[in-house]
Amino acid sequence: MEKDWRLQGQDKYLARKEFTLQSYRRYSANWDHDHCSFCWVKFSETGASNETEAEGYTCDDGYHWVCKQCFDDFKVEFEFVLAKNGA
């Protein structure tokens, strides 16, 4: 089986993490977007479009974001935990 191109060592910092599904909010005032930790889809507060997501899964640090598709694709392999209030 061919290795998924999205896997680039994220297990070192995302394995067994707790995630919450929420609207994107920037990590600091110094930047306006983030990217999915797997597929690099863009997250932005300006809303969803063909190239941008407005909602996704994030860890309690608010720094790492995962799009819905990648969360579904890797939740078993990475043993993701969905927070009780995480939809």
Side-chain angles (χ1 to χ4, degrees), residues 32-48:
D32 64 352
H33 72 278
D34 278 290
H35 294 273
C36 174
S37 293
F38 292 93
C39 71
W40 282 89
V41 70
K42 183 177 178 180
F43 288 96
S44 173
E45 290 179 350
T46 59

Side-chain angles (χ1 to χ4, degrees), residues 56-70:
Y57 292 92
T58 187
C59 300
D60 60 359
D61 63 9
Y63 183 77
H64 294 102
W65 286 82
V66 178
C67 73
K68 291 177 184 178
Q69 182 64 57
C70 289

Side-chain angles (χ1 to χ4, degrees), residues 7-72:
L7 296 175
Q8 302 293 321
Q10 296 94 333
D11 56 309
K12 294 177 183 91
Y13 55 93
L14 291 180
R16 294 174 293 288
K17 290 286 187 178
E18 183 174 87
F19 286 86
T20 303
L21 178 64
Q22 61 186 32
S23 296
Y24 173 75
R25 63 184 175 0
R26 56 190 178 165
Y27 181 71
S28 80
N30 295 335
W31 66 75
D32 64 352
H33 72 278
D34 278 290
H35 294 273
C36 174
S37 293
F38 292 93
C39 71
W40 282 89
V41 70
K42 183 177 178 180
F43 288 96
S44 173
E45 290 179 350
T46 59
S49 70
N50 287 342
E51 300 170 357
T52 305
E53 298 289 330
E55 182 179 71
Y57 292 92
T58 187
C59 300
D60 60 359
D61 63 9
Y63 183 77
H64 294 102
W65 286 82
V66 178
C67 73
K68 291 177 184 178
Q69 182 64 57
C70 289
F71 187 88
D72 286 343

